[in-house]
Amino acid sequence: MDMEKYKQLGIRVYNCVSYSEATAEHALLLILATARDFIKKVQEVKTAVKCVGSMTDPAPGLSGSTLGVIGLGKIGTKVAKCARIFDTRIVYYNRRARDSRLDDEDGFVYASSLALLLQESDYILVTCPLTDETRLMIGREQFKMMKSSAAIVNVARAEIIDQDALLDALQRGKLRSAALDVTSPPVLPTGHPLLSLPNVIITNHCGYCTHRSIENVFREAVYKALDGLTEINAM
């Protein structure tokens, strides 16, 4: 979106953020689904491969692991606080660290570099905005830094991750699994290799979409439009 152009035309642009709770819910769902091999376990029952849990094939689990959050905004913070319930260590990477008192209170650790976060994390959550700086932020070199047992979850924008590099890492066993609410293109063509990988979960960019979030976004949009009209009339 060319904000400068809208500004020159005198058009006001407002951002509605009432979907953050719903997106955080979805992100946590995807993290837990990868942590507990959820899709695999469901398929085993449906195909009668295995109907009883086996101690020889345990899921990694979330408890006691390290969750790395790339972009600790409203969504990332909500997910991180929920994950702390499971005795999960939280590492985050932003352009700048938060107030250290907040980190101490929440039990979060700031990673001074993206590389450090990738090296330490068992689960990597992408929640940062798409900018020139974050476009293709995670590519082949970054996947090499990750643990081969790690999982990556993206509820932000597809273009932050090099999708070809992600596919290569998954196929070569350099990454345990991925859960994506966004892909490029948004609807992958039939036969795309990501769709056939058993260690990949893909949802159709529905993370923001619940009854409550849609209602709240519409309400927020109306209120912001009315506030804008009030400001204009007051000029």
Side-chain angles (χ1 to χ4, degrees), residues 67-79:
L67 170 63
V69 182
I70 302 174
L72 196 73
K74 287 187 176 181
I75 296 169
T77 300
K78 287 179 185 293
V79 176

Side-chain angles (χ1 to χ4, degrees), residues 18-217:
S18 297
Y19 55 81
S20 60
E21 283 191 3
T23 306
E25 285 179 6
H26 198 73
L28 187 60
L29 165 70
L30 295 179
I31 292 169
L32 288 170
T34 60
R36 297 307 306 266
D37 290 338
F38 185 74
I39 301 299
K40 174 185 175 182
K41 302 304 182 185
V42 170
Q43 287 302 116
E44 285 177 352
V45 173
K46 287 187 174 182
T47 58
V49 171
K50 189 185 298 180
C51 294
V52 180
S54 171
M55 293 181 66
T56 61
D57 186 26
L62 183 60
S63 297
S65 66
T66 296
L67 170 63
V69 182
I70 302 174
L72 196 73
K74 287 187 176 181
I75 296 169
T77 300
K78 287 179 185 293
V79 176
K81 286 183 175 181
C82 288
R84 286 284 292 157
I85 296 171
F86 298 100
D87 191 29
T88 303
R89 178 172 176 260
I90 305 298
V91 179
Y92 73 94
Y93 176 71
N94 279 354
R95 284 178 295 179
R96 61 185 67 86
R98 304 190 309 166
D99 187 309
S100 60
R101 289 171 296 181
L102 277 176
D103 284 349
D104 291 341
E105 181 181 327
D106 291 334
F108 298 171
V109 177
Y110 176 65
S112 57
S113 68
L114 177 61
L116 184 61
L117 179 144
L118 298 178
Q119 291 163 4
E120 292 188 2
S121 299
D122 300 298
Y123 300 93
I124 298 159
L125 174 63
V126 181
T127 59
C128 59
L130 177 63
T131 65
D132 289 340
E133 183 182 353
T134 63
R135 186 179 299 275
L136 299 180
M137 171 191 280
I138 300 177
R140 296 185 188 279
E141 290 305 311
Q142 286 69 37
F143 283 117
K144 291 177 182 177
M145 299 174 188
M146 299 177 192
K147 301 176 182 179
S148 60
S149 59
I152 190 165
V153 175
N154 188 5
V155 294
R157 291 291 181 266
E159 292 79 9
I160 295 171
I161 297 176
D162 182 335
Q163 198 163 274
D164 290 337
L166 170 63
L167 176 61
D168 181 63
L170 289 164
Q171 289 177 326
R172 295 193 302 116
K174 301 300 182 182
L175 188 68
R176 188 178 68 82
S177 60
L180 313 170
D181 189 44
V182 286
T183 58
S184 182
V187 179
L188 294 177
T190 302
H192 192 285
L194 276 176
L195 296 174
S196 62
L197 289 179
N199 54 343
V200 175
I201 300 171
I202 299 177
T203 54
N204 55 344
H205 201 176
C206 59
Y208 68 95
C209 192
T210 65
H211 292 299
R212 181 180 180 184
S213 68
I214 295 300
E215 180 180 325
N216 288 344
V217 165

Side-chain angles (χ1 to χ4, degrees), residues 14 216-230:
Y14 297 95
N216 288 344
V217 165
F218 283 139
R219 184 182 293 111
E220 183 183 3
V222 170
Y223 286 157
K224 286 187 174 179
L226 291 173
D227 288 343
L229 289 173
T230 300

